[in-house]
Amino acid sequence: MTDSPVTRATLLMRLRDANDYEAWEDFLRDYGPMLYRFVRSRGLQDADAADIVQDVFRRVGMAIGKLEYDKEKGGFRAWLFTITRNRLYTYFEKQKRSAGNTANDTAQLELLSQAADERNELAEQWELEHLRSLAASAMKRVEENSDPKTWSAFRITAVEGRSAADAAEELSMSTGAIYVAKSRVTARLRAEIKKLQQDEGDFV
């Protein structure tokens, strides 16, 4: 299995250079889907969610050079959460003042008004999207470094939820071989997720 091309902490340092387009592409690829899913989970329409995500990235670009770490206050992911949370608050505050205000707008505004470090639905959704992002990255890397049949056996049984017998018939493998392949890929995924978490270090 190949090593991660860059640790999250290294990526953060590179983002301080606005001309490091490769680093920014990596950042947008890794965090764009996570941010979009999180914002959409608050009940926003596609266009509004996309606007907020774009605004969050713009604000990250403006402030990243001034970001100083304080482990007591959390790392980059906590900082990114604060920026996103503030943009959502501004959005729902405007919605509340408009004629189209809904019960969801009011509920979201109340949730966003809670202390930033309070464990609530908002914080739990943020962590869930982060885990999904890690899992997606891990799956991509493991797939790239797995035998096609081994990966297919895992995909059919673990992802598609089909039986080992179906996978065995489709791939011309024994049922036992399917179980072995699924087990091996699952172990690799766990190891890759753990590696990604270690790579984050103080970045989180």
Side-chain angles (χ1 to χ4, degrees):
M1 187 176 299
T2 58
D3 291 335
S4 168
V6 61
T7 65
R8 297 292 177 106
T10 301
L11 176 61
L12 176 58
M13 296 305 297
R14 290 176 57 192
L15 290 180
R16 294 172 186 261
D17 179 1
N19 295 317
D20 192 337
Y21 301 114
E22 183 179 354
W24 277 99
E25 286 179 2
D26 289 343
F27 178 68
L28 293 174
R29 179 200 66 212
D30 290 347
Y31 282 87
M34 169 187 166
L35 282 171
Y36 177 78
R37 289 193 305 266
F38 176 73
V39 173
R40 283 278 280 167
S41 75
R42 300 300 94 204
L44 276 72
Q45 296 298 313
D46 175 75
D48 291 332
D51 285 344
I52 288 181
V53 170
Q54 185 177 20
D55 191 30
V56 168
F57 281 133
R58 182 176 63 83
R59 290 174 182 274
V60 168
M62 293 171 57
I64 192 69
K66 302 175 183 178
L67 177 63
E68 297 295 337
Y69 280 105
D70 184 340
K71 293 185 71 174
E72 296 300 319
K73 296 180 180 179
F76 175 79
R77 188 151 47 87
W79 180 68
L80 185 62
F81 174 61
T82 299
I83 293 176
T84 307
R85 177 175 170 271
N86 289 344
R87 300 318 303 151
L88 282 169
Y89 185 91
T90 299
Y91 170 83
F92 283 113
E93 190 175 40
K94 289 181 179 179
Q95 288 293 106
K96 188 175 182 179
R97 293 199 301 265
S98 73
N101 179 47
T102 67
N104 179 63
D105 295 334
T106 301
Q108 293 298 329
L109 193 58
E110 291 176 356
L111 182 62
L112 289 158
S113 299
Q114 297 177 15
D117 59 352
E118 186 173 342
R119 299 300 302 179
N120 55 28
E121 178 194 339
L122 201 68
E124 290 175 358
Q125 187 66 37
W126 180 258
E127 291 305 311
L128 175 61
E129 296 304 343
H130 174 249
L131 289 175
R132 284 177 176 170
S133 178
L134 287 182
S137 295
M139 288 186 73
K140 181 180 178 181
R141 293 179 188 180
V142 171
E143 180 180 7
E144 290 172 349
N145 293 278
S146 294
D147 171 78
K149 267 197 171 183
T150 299
W151 178 260
S152 292
F154 170 81
R155 173 181 53 78
I156 292 170
T157 55
V159 179
E160 298 178 6
R162 293 160 59 191
S163 69
D166 283 347
E169 181 178 358
E170 182 173 325
L171 301 172
S172 299
M173 297 169 64
S174 68
T175 303
I178 295 295
Y179 285 120
V180 170
K182 179 182 178 181
S183 177
R184 286 177 177 172
V185 172
T186 299
R188 289 173 187 169
L189 283 172
R190 287 173 178 165
E192 184 63 29
I193 290 174
K194 183 177 181 181
K195 181 177 180 295
L196 287 170
Q197 290 173 325
Q198 291 173 338
D199 281 348
E200 286 186 318
D202 290 343
F203 190 74
V204 299

